[in-house]
Amino acid sequence: MDALLLGSSTGGLSLFISGKSSWRSKDLKAVHFPNVAKRQNQKQRVKGSAIRVQVPTNKSYNLIGNFYTQRIQHCARGILETSTVFQKSNTKFLVNATSGHPLESEPKAYPNTPWNSAKNALDAFYRFSRPHTVIGTVNKPYLPLASGEYSALTGIMIVTSFSIMSFWLGWIIGSWPLFWALFVSFVLGTAYSINLPLLRWKRFALVAAMCILAVRAVIVQLAFYLHIQTHVFSRPAVISKPLIFATAFMSFFSVVIALFKDIPDIEGDKIFGIKSYTVRLGQEKVFWTCISLLEMAYGISILVGATSPYTWSKVITVLGHSVLASILWIRAKSVDLKSKAAITSCYMFIWKLFYAEYFLIPLIR
């Protein structure tokens, strides 16, 4: 059976029917499409397109040759008409696939209507001011500042506005623990991120880890506990066992978060000269260090739960931490450390474990 060979070049599109070696070059016939160029994108002008059909001299093949000629002409029209659409969409698809950003969130993917403009503006605002402390994320190139949707000035204005509102909220509530929690978190967060002399502490692995530990393990636990005790319940502040446990446990978690977040970003850290532990020690070593620290935290939690004088507290906390520790170990063993997506997924899973712990902390007695 004769084969169809499809080929293309800058000069046009050609389809050949190859048959027996007895076919001769003088039997080549060409069918031209003068209107094809009009259907092409203006940026890709086609000087001429042709369909060439090689037909054997043997009369027994003429019927097959005529049939192929008609079918090829029909197919060529469809191919040429759809090639422009494919070429337009292909670049956008590759860009979005590389960045990991879904095509649906591309602002220009929708007609420029007032509703879509407002929706895109809200989407960009959410991605810029996303609740990172509630929903853990990793940086992406399609976030507003990195993608260019927001200028640096726009980012500064939004951050400044939120800072003023947060301090104003803490002030009118009248809770000093809450106000100082906001203030210290603001100072440490600024020193951690802002690119000024002696600042941008995220460049230094130890200092960056201490900033995260101070906010998540100490300030959040202590200040919010004092806020509830003194301002909400109007009770004297008493250092309780759950508070001590929460501070110690979250210290482990904060160190892990500080270390783990840099594992998938090793290439970017190298480019910008950030000497993270991942850059210094390697991804695999830091990964298993993080897993070991979390397993140690769960081991201590099991011991603390076992010392509870209440049976219900002992059973729930020991069983709960044992289950979480087992799930973490199974998940860690299945992670492909050569895959950035797999490491990032594990990082997000650790955030889920972080918030799951808040269901067990109140049960410590």
Side-chain angles (χ1 to χ4, degrees):
M1 189 66 184
D2 299 324
L4 279 176
L5 301 178
L6 176 63
S8 63
S9 64
T10 55
L13 182 68
S14 300
L15 284 81
F16 300 92
I17 299 179
S18 62
K20 297 183 179 179
S21 58
S22 62
W23 290 6
R24 297 173 301 190
S25 59
K26 70 177 184 179
D27 295 311
L28 294 177
K29 297 181 180 180
V31 181
H32 294 272
F33 295 103
N35 294 326
V36 166
K38 296 181 181 179
R39 299 190 182 98
Q40 296 296 314
N41 189 284
Q42 293 180 355
K43 295 182 180 179
Q44 299 179 349
R45 298 185 181 277
V46 179
K47 296 181 180 179
S49 302
I51 299 276
R52 295 195 295 271
V53 181
Q54 192 173 6
V55 183
T57 55
N58 193 326
K59 292 182 180 181
S60 63
Y61 285 92
N62 287 341
L63 182 61
I64 298 176
N66 292 333
F67 171 77
Y68 279 148
T69 300
Q70 296 175 2
R71 294 301 302 270
I72 292 170
Q73 291 175 4
H74 177 74
C75 293
R77 290 190 182 96
I79 293 172
L80 293 173
E81 288 174 355
T82 58
S83 62
T84 300
V85 177
F86 172 78
Q87 291 168 356
K88 283 182 178 180
S89 62
N90 189 41
T91 301
K92 182 181 291 186
F93 172 79
L94 290 176
V95 169
N96 286 281
T98 302
S99 65
H101 192 37
L103 181 63
E104 288 78 6
S105 59
E106 182 75 24
K108 295 182 180 179
Y110 298 100
N112 189 19
T113 64
W115 167 248
N116 287 331
S117 298
K119 185 168 63 173
N120 291 331
L122 290 175
D123 176 67
F125 180 77
Y126 170 79
R127 284 184 283 116
F128 179 80
S129 57
R130 66 200 187 284
H132 173 77
T133 55
V134 177
I135 305 173
T137 58
V138 294
N139 290 329
K140 296 289 185 181
Y142 57 77
L143 292 178
L145 282 179
S147 65
E149 291 179 76
Y150 279 176
S151 65
L153 179 60
T154 301
I156 292 173
M157 292 175 61
I158 293 175
V159 172
T160 302
S161 300
F162 272 83
S163 300
I164 293 173
M165 286 191 292
S166 65
F167 287 126
W168 173 76
L169 182 62
W171 180 265
I172 63 172
I173 289 178
S175 171
W176 283 108
L178 181 60
F179 180 84
W180 283 111
L182 293 169
F183 180 77
V184 176
S185 299
F186 169 79
V187 172
L188 291 178
T190 301
Y192 179 88
S193 302
I194 195 168
N195 192 15
L196 290 176
L198 303 179
L199 299 179
R200 195 167 174 78
W201 291 351
K202 67 183 296 182
R203 295 175 297 170
F204 313 105
L206 180 61
V207 181
M210 294 304 296
C211 284
I212 295 175
L213 187 148
V215 174
R216 292 195 175 277
V218 180
I219 295 175
V220 169
Q221 314 304 324
L222 182 60
F224 290 176
Y225 173 80
L226 294 176
H227 167 71
I228 295 297
Q229 291 292 314
T230 62
H231 185 75
V232 177
F233 294 145
S234 299
R235 297 187 302 206
V238 177
I239 304 301
S240 63
K241 184 178 179 179
L243 176 62
I244 297 174
F245 170 79
T247 303
F249 186 90
M250 290 307 176
S251 295
F252 279 90
F253 248 104
S254 298
V255 172
V256 169
I257 289 173
L259 296 176
F260 208 109
K261 71 179 184 61
D262 295 325
I263 297 178
D265 297 331
I266 184 172
E267 297 300 329
D269 288 344
K270 287 180 179 178
I271 293 173
F272 290 98
I274 298 177
K275 302 298 182 181
S276 64
Y277 283 115
T278 303
V279 173
R280 296 179 182 181
L281 304 177
Q283 289 178 305
E284 183 174 1
K285 191 169 185 177
V286 174
F287 176 85
W288 286 111
T289 298
C290 292
I291 300 301
S292 299
L293 287 173
L294 288 182
E295 294 294 348
M296 288 173 57
Y298 282 125
I300 295 173
S301 303
I302 292 171
L303 294 176
V304 172
T307 61
S308 174
Y310 303 98
T311 303
W312 62 267
S313 175
K314 184 181 301 185
V315 172
I316 296 176
T317 55
V318 170
L319 182 61
H321 287 112
S322 298
V323 170
L324 293 178
S326 300
I327 294 174
L328 172 63
W329 183 255
I330 295 172
R331 179 64 182 271
K333 293 289 287 185
S334 66
V335 174
D336 180 10
L337 296 179
K338 296 180 180 180
S339 170
K340 181 176 180 179
I343 297 174
T344 302
S345 177
C346 186
Y347 174 63
M348 300 303 296
F349 174 72
I350 288 176
W351 275 97
K352 293 179 176 66
L353 295 178
F354 179 87
Y355 291 112
E357 188 59 30
Y358 281 104
F359 289 97
L360 296 174
I361 288 175
L363 304 178
I364 295 292
R365 290 291 184 268

